[in-house]
Amino acid sequence: MAVIIDGKQISQQIKDELKLKVEKLKAEGKTGALAVIQVGDDPASSVYVRNKKNACAYIGIGSLAYELPEDTAEEELLALIGELNGKPEVKGILVQLPLPGHISEDKVIKAIRPEKDVDGFHPQSVGAMAIGAPGFLPCTPAGIIQLLKRSGIELEGKRCVVVGRSNIVGKPMALLMLRENATVTIAHSRTKDLKGLCKQADILIVAIGKPQFIGAEYVKEGAVVIDVGIHRDENNKLCGDVKFDEVKELASAITPVPGGVGPMTIAMLMHNCVQGIEGDREG
Ligand code: GUN
């Protein structure tokens, strides 16, 4: 029976550490705010945006919310980003994704100054991460590294399999694990013998976006299983990419959904905002 990795508790610990740091920075006269931009009123995005604003209030940093209508022109959004890029008190800029179809996410991501790219999505941030240079790290993969480290799970020398190759999770996850001296394989929908490969993993990170896809037959006894997925099942209950009930019997540690990886993303966003206020991006 696996240890359940409590992402809520670990994210709370991180936010409490950040709160103290923010107080110290204030005493040194260092303050700043996160600007959050939402285009349209997708309900899931509205929940994420609200959680981000609440987290800023909790750790004691400012937040500026921009709620733009669905039909906002791309140029208008780019102009707002340009304006925020030039405001010294704005230390982080986050544009909630996905954006409406008529706006290029690529252009928007590239418009944010890398010094304010608290999502870590700008090509300069991605390149810096790849070579270990200073830059913001993407929040979900950085949060997973924190979950593992703070749960006492050693990465060095371990066989890690990342299932999923997205720019936001799979690819950066693999790079961050490599940085921790793990041996990393990225698997995806075209991987041959996915089951056989996953079964070799000491640490299995699942980010495939398919509800309850990974069952016990994919997992080695004693493996650590991290579930990045979030879906609603047929009963409208939240579930992940992993069949939690059967995999927990076999794994040595596992993250639940909800309450595993999800809360870590916001904690790491706050971490990045505080780095932005310190003027010292992490390497
Ligand atoms: N939409 C879903 N996750 C994220 C995220 O981490 N950052 C942004 N900007 N949008 C998202």
Side-chain angles (χ1 to χ4, degrees):
M1 179 72 179
V3 167
I4 312 296
I5 299 175
D6 188 345
K8 255 180 112 165
Q9 192 208 324
I10 296 172
S11 68
Q12 187 61 47
Q13 190 182 47
I14 292 173
K15 284 188 285 184
D16 286 336
E17 291 166 11
L18 290 170
K19 194 175 169 148
L20 282 177
K21 206 169 198 180
V22 167
E23 273 171 28
K24 284 197 190 124
L25 288 168
K26 263 187 200 156
E28 294 167 20
K30 289 185 178 174
T31 60
L34 168 68
V36 182
I37 306 173
Q38 183 180 357
V39 185
D41 51 11
D42 171 62
S45 289
S46 300
V47 172
Y48 291 135
V49 167
R50 191 171 62 236
N51 289 343
K52 287 167 186 173
K53 286 190 281 192
N54 289 343
C56 286
Y58 183 81
I59 69 160
I61 67 175
S63 67
L64 303 167
Y66 296 85
E67 284 156 25
L68 308 181
E70 180 84 18
D71 62 358
T72 300
E74 184 179 271
E75 307 82 76
E76 210 177 313
L77 176 57
L78 294 174
L80 173 59
I81 294 170
E83 197 185 303
L84 295 169
N85 277 339
K87 282 193 172 171
E89 72 275 22
V90 172
K91 304 296 187 191
I93 302 173
L94 182 144
V95 180
Q96 188 64 31
L97 304 177
L99 287 167
H102 65 280
I103 299 178
S104 157
E105 287 187 358
D106 188 50
K107 272 194 200 163
V108 167
I109 287 169
K110 286 181 181 152
I112 297 169
R113 272 180 63 183
E115 294 79 7
K116 301 191 178 192
D117 173 36
V118 284
D119 260 329
F121 293 167
H122 190 286
Q124 188 174 311
S125 306
V126 177
M129 172 180 56
I131 61 169
F136 289 117
L137 300 178
C139 303
T140 300
I144 292 170
I145 297 287
Q146 284 300 313
L147 267 186
L148 293 168
K149 284 190 171 173
R150 290 175 186 245
S151 301
I153 295 164
E154 181 71 47
L155 282 153
E156 182 157 326
K158 294 281 177 66
R159 272 190 194 200
C160 298
V161 173
V162 181
V163 193
R165 54 176 159 179
S166 70
N167 289 337
I168 293 182
V169 182
K171 283 183 212 164
M173 188 72 247
L175 285 169
L176 294 185
M177 303 260 248
L178 192 57
R179 217 190 241 202
E180 301 295 331
N181 300 314
T183 301
V184 187
T185 305
I186 305 183
H188 47 78
S189 55
R190 314 260 176 99
T191 296
K192 290 206 174 100
D193 189 20
L194 181 63
K195 251 178 232 174
L197 181 67
C198 289
K199 236 180 146 60
Q200 292 177 26
D202 300 315
I203 300 175
L204 182 63
I205 313 267
V206 188
I208 38 181
K210 291 184 189 159
Q212 301 187 304
F213 182 84
I214 297 289
E217 71 277 20
Y218 286 79
V219 178
K220 179 171 78 171
E221 186 160 3
V224 173
V225 180
I226 305 292
D227 188 351
V228 187
I230 184 147
H231 316 275
R232 290 211 177 258
D233 70 9
E234 60 279 7
N235 304 314
N236 208 32
K237 208 174 139 236
L238 289 172
C239 69
D241 289 350
V242 175
K243 288 178 183 151
F244 181 81
D245 288 335
E246 63 177 65
V247 172
K248 79 173 192 305
E249 300 302 325
L250 186 69
S252 62
I254 186 169
T255 57
V257 176
V261 172
M264 295 302 292
T265 301
I266 290 194
M268 297 317 288
L269 174 67
M270 294 303 109
H271 169 88
N272 284 351
C273 291
V274 173
Q275 295 285 147
I277 292 171
E278 284 182 303
D280 173 26
R281 286 171 295 152
E282 197 162 63

